[in-house]
Amino acid sequence: MKEFFENEMKLEFVSKANNEAFARAAVAAFAAQLDPTVEELADIKTAVSEAVTNCIIHAYESKQGIIKVIARLKEDEIIIEISDNGKGIENINLAKEPLFTTKPNLERSGMGFTIMESFMDSMDVESIVGLGTKVTMSKKIQPKPEEDEKDFLLVAKE
Amino acid sequence: MESKFYEKDKLLVFKINEEIDDCSVQKIRGKVDYEIERCMPKRIVFDFDSVTFMDSAGIGFIIGRYKLARVIGAKIEVTNLSKSVEKIFEMSGVLRLITVSKEVVNL
Ligand SMILES: Nc1ncnc2c1ncn2[C@@H]1O[C@H](COP(=O)(O)OP(=O)(O)O)[C@@H](O)[C@H]1O
Ligand SMILES: [Mg+2]
């Protein structure tokens, strides 16, 4: 049976650097439905930017290909899937190591996966060499106190 | 991005006005390096006051400029970092190479 999500969106775009800003802004606008804080939203945007950039510069390199982004909302959580049909990753554990990069000549820092892992609650990478890579990330948006609860907290403090 | 060189202090200030990612870094890197090599400063300040977004491309960008600065004997400073920019720099260890200064330089 298909899992039930409260909301879902899909994006497909070509692997051009100009689309990095588009992709993170689109996911952030979708995530806004969960009423995240400015910081939570910044974390999501950064993680999406990292994953999409990786598709552009590592998966497809100078070739052009399609990048897919799916975002799903389930209660207070956002689940984001970013995939490509590019060259794939040979050793995923090595790729995830902080500072590991196969493109130091392009001034890459090797911190992409480390940032995705620490800014989101979970991150999972699946990859097949020659076929492509899929990164799945999730983040729970912390509930904020309701307005009347806030009043109550203020009264309780007095 | 705007820049200004203060000859007397050998100070070169870059005010970055764009979101920093792989795309924008490709566009500004050449101009930044050109200014550094033209002015031969002793101090290079990157002002992040108008930076509303940065991902790991910013780390690579700063490390790249650090390497160039070392060749010409200059020091790199960054200023006006937002919370999330600072978090990304902290994670990467790049703050061991550069100084976070509180001082605000007006262009
Ligand atoms: N979508 C992808 N397709 C192919 N290789 C990838 C992909 N994403 C990441 N990689 C590999 O994993 C390495 C580490 O990625 P990351 O942590 O983002 O660092 P960086 O992008 O700075 O190299 C990359 O250098 C690359 O070799
Ligand atoms: Mg990366």
Side-chain angles (χ1 to χ4, degrees):
Chain A
M1 201 180 80
K2 197 174 184 295
E3 217 180 328
F4 176 73
F5 293 101
E6 278 154 30
N7 203 352
E8 177 168 333
M9 71 94 159
K10 273 183 207 173
L11 285 178
E12 278 190 23
F13 49 90
V14 293
S15 55
K16 288 193 170 234
N18 286 325
N19 287 332
E20 291 159 10
F22 160 70
R24 63 179 179 257
V27 175
F30 185 71
Q33 296 173 43
L34 294 180
D35 194 20
T37 61
V38 174
E39 203 179 342
E40 286 166 336
L41 210 51
D43 289 351
I44 292 169
K45 278 175 92 169
T46 311
V48 169
S49 195
E50 295 296 345
V52 168
T53 303
N54 281 351
C55 301
I56 295 169
I57 58 180
H58 300 300
Y60 295 121
E61 297 180 298
S62 46
K63 295 180 287 290
Q64 212 172 89
I66 297 289
I67 299 169
K68 275 187 207 149
V69 176
I70 301 178
R72 299 184 170 110
L73 304 183
K74 202 180 169 191
E75 288 167 25
D76 54 354
E77 193 174 26
I78 182 163
I79 301 131
I80 307 166
E81 247 177 58
I82 298 176
S83 58
D84 63 67
N85 303 308
K87 71 175 199 182
I89 302 174
E90 255 164 57
N91 184 337
I92 296 175
N93 285 334
L94 184 62
K96 281 179 170 172
E97 292 268 319
L99 307 178
F100 176 85
T101 179
T102 48
K103 293 228 180 330
N105 52 322
L106 291 185
E107 293 192 348
R108 300 307 311 168
S109 61
M111 290 299 290
F113 280 132
T114 310
I115 287 176
M116 289 182 246
E117 250 171 346
S118 74
F119 284 22
M120 301 294 280
D121 295 338
S122 76
M123 187 205 58
D124 178 59
V125 186
E126 295 162 71
S127 190
I128 300 175
V129 173
L131 282 183
T133 302
K134 178 162 94 180
V135 175
T136 310
M137 308 181 276
S138 72
K139 190 177 182 71
K140 265 201 169 35
I141 302 304
Q142 297 307 316
K144 279 142 218 82
E146 298 284 339
E147 283 305 316
D148 46 346
E149 258 178 72
K150 255 191 245 162
D151 291 345
F152 175 76
L153 290 174
L154 280 177
V155 173
K157 241 164 114 188
E158 274 166 12
Chain B
M1 191 202 55
E2 301 159 58
S3 65
K4 189 163 179 180
F5 183 50
Y6 299 85
E7 179 77 58
K8 189 166 63 75
D9 304 315
K10 294 263 170 232
L11 164 68
L12 180 58
V13 182
F14 292 99
K15 190 163 170 34
I16 308 174
N17 299 317
E18 38 274 283
E19 300 200 336
I20 303 180
D21 61 12
D22 150 66
C23 182
S24 63
V25 158
Q26 284 179 42
K27 289 177 187 154
I28 65 173
R29 186 160 44 211
K31 190 180 170 220
V32 168
D33 287 355
Y34 174 81
E35 283 304 311
I36 293 174
E37 281 164 0
R38 190 176 67 89
C39 301
M40 296 300 275
K42 285 283 161 218
R43 257 178 89 195
I44 302 166
V45 176
F46 289 100
D47 184 350
F48 280 74
D49 194 39
S50 308
V51 174
T52 51
F53 174 85
M54 185 183 91
D55 67 18
S56 71
I59 303 167
F61 173 76
I62 289 295
I63 294 175
R65 304 313 53 80
Y66 166 79
K67 287 181 182 162
L68 175 61
R70 207 173 43 179
V71 172
I72 64 162
K75 290 248 177 313
I76 301 239
E77 292 168 37
V78 291
T79 186
N80 290 321
L81 305 185
S82 69
K83 239 204 219 156
S84 52
V85 167
E86 189 157 4
K87 194 158 76 173
I88 288 168
F89 279 148
E90 249 165 27
M91 273 177 64
S92 67
V94 70
L95 295 180
R96 281 184 303 232
L97 308 176
I98 59 172
T99 311
V100 181
S101 53
K102 294 276 170 282
E103 165 191 5
V104 182
V105 198
N106 288 313
L107 279 193

